[in-house]
Amino acid sequence: MGKLVKGVTWAKKQFEKGSRPGKEKILEWIEAEYIPGQIIAGEPYVDADRFTIREHTAPAQNTSANGGQPRSGLDLLAG
């Protein structure tokens, strides 16, 4: 595990204002392993050293719409 950053601090650096996920969404993403991180005392912390949108995929998100290929982290974050 690399450098842990508070989830809301990470979101401010990664997302434009108005598009930032809240604490609950970040918790959900960490629990689903869409993004690397840990939940400590109910607070989300993102592994900022390991987080790269293209490196994280969720095999369960494969669909015929994307040819059965894993969706990228960007696809997952976009909904």
Side-chain angles (χ1 to χ4, degrees), residues 15 48 50 59 76:
F15 294 86
R50 285 185 44 219
L76 293 170

Side-chain angles (χ1 to χ4, degrees), residues 34 50-58 70-77:
Y34 293 150
R50 285 185 44 219
F51 182 82
T52 304
I53 288 176
R54 296 184 192 277
E55 288 182 356
H56 296 281
T57 60
R71 293 174 62 189
S72 71
L74 182 57
D75 292 332
L76 293 170
L77 295 174

Side-chain angles (χ1 to χ4, degrees), residues 5-16 20-22 26 46:
V5 178
K6 284 185 177 183
V8 292
T9 302
W10 166 81
K12 285 180 183 177
K13 292 180 181 181
Q14 298 296 320
F15 294 86
E16 292 292 325
R20 293 179 188 138
I26 297 168
V46 176

Side-chain angles (χ1 to χ4, degrees), residues 2-51:
K3 177 180 162 186
L4 291 175
V5 178
K6 284 185 177 183
V8 292
T9 302
W10 166 81
K12 285 180 183 177
K13 292 180 181 181
Q14 298 296 320
F15 294 86
E16 292 292 325
K17 189 174 183 177
S19 298
R20 293 179 188 138
K23 175 184 170 182
E24 295 302 317
K25 183 56 77 174
I26 297 168
L27 285 167
E28 180 183 317
W29 289 344
I30 291 171
E31 288 175 348
E33 298 182 359
Y34 293 150
I35 59 174
Q38 292 193 1
I39 299 169
I40 302 170
E43 294 296 320
Y45 290 85
V46 176
D47 184 342
D49 290 340
R50 285 185 44 219
F51 182 82

